[in-house]
């Protein structure tokens, strides 16, 4: 795991894994998972003691979670962390541009889904009497169209 420095964050805070998880807004298993993935280093255990984490570790987890909220996968986050020394801005931008293109595609797909559902809901509102539900009938037709 590469070493990292967060400006303004003390490395001297001595947090247990539970305290670290609380400070970062995750659970202990998330901390351990990030360690297994190589996203967070595991501090040495002093003889007969408990591993202690720093404020830098807290900020690193917060960075990971913030990147995930922006749609980055953990593989993407790993790449961003490799690029964080400040000399790889163009590579970080390229990664963000690819993510932005993916998000825009998903938004377009969601707009199509929204339009289809909006039409189905309108047909349901217009249905009167003892007719089959237009929405359910539409879903059945879409399912039948998918058969090989």
């Amino acid at each position: 795991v590469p070493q990292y420095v967060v400006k303004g964050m003390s490395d001297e805070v001595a947090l247990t894994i539970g305290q670290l998880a609380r400070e970062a807004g995750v659970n202990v298993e998330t901390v351990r998972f990030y360690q297994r993935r190589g996203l967070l280093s595991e501090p040495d255990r002093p003889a007969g003691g408990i591993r202690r984490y720093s404020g830098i570790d807290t900020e690193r987890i917060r960075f990971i979670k913030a990147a995930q909220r922006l749609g980055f996968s953990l593989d993407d986050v790993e790449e961003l962390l490799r690029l964080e020394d400040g000399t790889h801005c163009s590579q970080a931008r390229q990664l963000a541009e690819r993510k932005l293109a993916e998000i825009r595609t998903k938004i377009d797909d969601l707009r199509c889904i929204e339009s289809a559902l909006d039409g189905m809901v309108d047909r349901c509102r217009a249905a009167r009497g003892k007719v089959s539900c237009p929405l359910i009938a539409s879903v059945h037709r879409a399912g039948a169209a998918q058969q090989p």
Side-chain angles (χ1 to χ4, degrees), residues 11 13 20 25 42 46 58 71 74 81 98 104 125 127 141 148:
D11 191 32
V13 178
L20 171 67
E42 187 173 353
T58 305
L74 288 179
L81 289 169
R98 284 193 305 269
R104 287 179 173 154
R125 284 189 188 120
R141 282 192 302 277

Side-chain angles (χ1 to χ4, degrees), residues 48-74:
I50 298 172
R51 286 185 176 95
R52 296 293 177 164
Y53 296 84
S54 71
I56 293 172
D57 296 312
T58 305
E59 289 304 311
R60 183 147 176 128
I61 293 170
R62 288 179 180 158
F63 176 89
I64 293 166
K65 297 310 289 181
Q68 284 182 304
R69 283 191 299 275
L70 290 172
F72 289 103
S73 69
L74 288 179

Side-chain angles (χ1 to χ4, degrees), residues 119-129 131 134:
M120 289 179 191
V121 168
D122 284 346
R123 285 189 292 282
C124 282
R125 284 189 188 120
R128 301 280 188 249
V131 297

Side-chain angles (χ1 to χ4, degrees), residues 129-144:
K130 292 190 175 195
V131 297
S132 67
C133 175
L135 184 134
I136 294 172
S138 293
V139 174
H140 275 297
R141 282 192 302 277

Side-chain angles (χ1 to χ4, degrees), residues 62-99:
R62 288 179 180 158
F63 176 89
I64 293 166
K65 297 310 289 181
Q68 284 182 304
R69 283 191 299 275
L70 290 172
F72 289 103
S73 69
L74 288 179
D75 289 338
D76 294 335
V77 172
E78 186 175 6
E79 183 67 18
L80 288 171
L81 289 169
R82 273 197 293 272
L83 300 173
E84 78 173 332
D85 66 2
T87 63
H88 298 90
C89 191
S90 66
Q91 290 165 291
R93 179 183 42 77
Q94 289 171 358
L95 183 62
E97 286 172 345
R98 284 193 305 269
K99 181 54 59 184

